[in-house]
Amino acid sequence: MNTILSIVQAEKTGQIESKMIKARQMEEIREARRIEAEKKEDEKKARLEDVKDSLRRKRNKKTKPDADEDGLRVKDLIAAGSKAKKASKASSSKKKVSFA
């Protein structure tokens, strides 16, 4: 009777140990996934910062003034002239919608 009990107890102990080993392996896998996710997030942030910097550089290049003697920018005068024509045309002809 005691031998049977000791055999059953040894099997239970082995099962518990294998469960603990499996739990450790799963924890290592979770840790590796977390580290990989952090690396990807850092790479994503770095790419985003690079894009932001390039856009800032482009914006700074565009904002350099092309001023003439009066201090007005040529591009602004051209844009204002074309916008004025479009605005007056749009206000004179309104679209009408009828419902049946």
Side-chain angles (χ1 to χ4, degrees):
M1 187 76 165
N2 284 337
T3 55
I4 295 172
L5 185 60
S6 64
I7 292 171
V8 170
Q9 193 70 355
E11 288 179 7
K12 287 286 186 181
T13 307
Q15 289 176 359
I16 292 172
E17 288 176 3
S18 66
K19 286 182 182 180
M20 290 174 59
I21 291 170
K22 189 172 183 177
R24 286 184 199 137
Q25 290 173 345
M26 293 300 291
E27 185 63 31
E28 289 173 0
I29 292 170
R30 286 187 201 108
E31 184 69 20
R33 286 183 182 166
R34 184 186 62 80
I35 290 170
E36 187 67 28
E38 287 177 358
K39 284 181 184 178
K40 285 184 181 180
E41 188 68 25
D42 290 341
E43 289 174 3
K44 187 176 179 181
K45 285 181 182 180
R47 278 187 267 136
L48 180 63
E49 289 299 321
D50 290 342
V51 170
K52 284 181 182 179
D53 290 340
S54 67
L55 290 175
R56 286 183 189 127
R57 279 186 242 121
K58 286 181 184 178
R59 185 178 63 212
N60 288 338
K61 287 180 183 178
K62 288 182 182 178
T63 57
K64 291 182 181 177
D66 310 335
D68 59 355
E69 298 85 34
D70 298 333
L72 299 173
R73 293 176 54 182
V74 176
K75 290 180 182 177
D76 290 339
L77 293 174
I78 293 170
S82 63
K83 286 181 184 175
K85 291 178 186 175
K86 288 180 183 176
S88 63
K89 183 178 180 183
S91 64
S92 65
S93 62
K94 293 183 180 179
K95 293 184 180 180
K96 295 181 182 180
V97 178
S98 63
F99 297 97

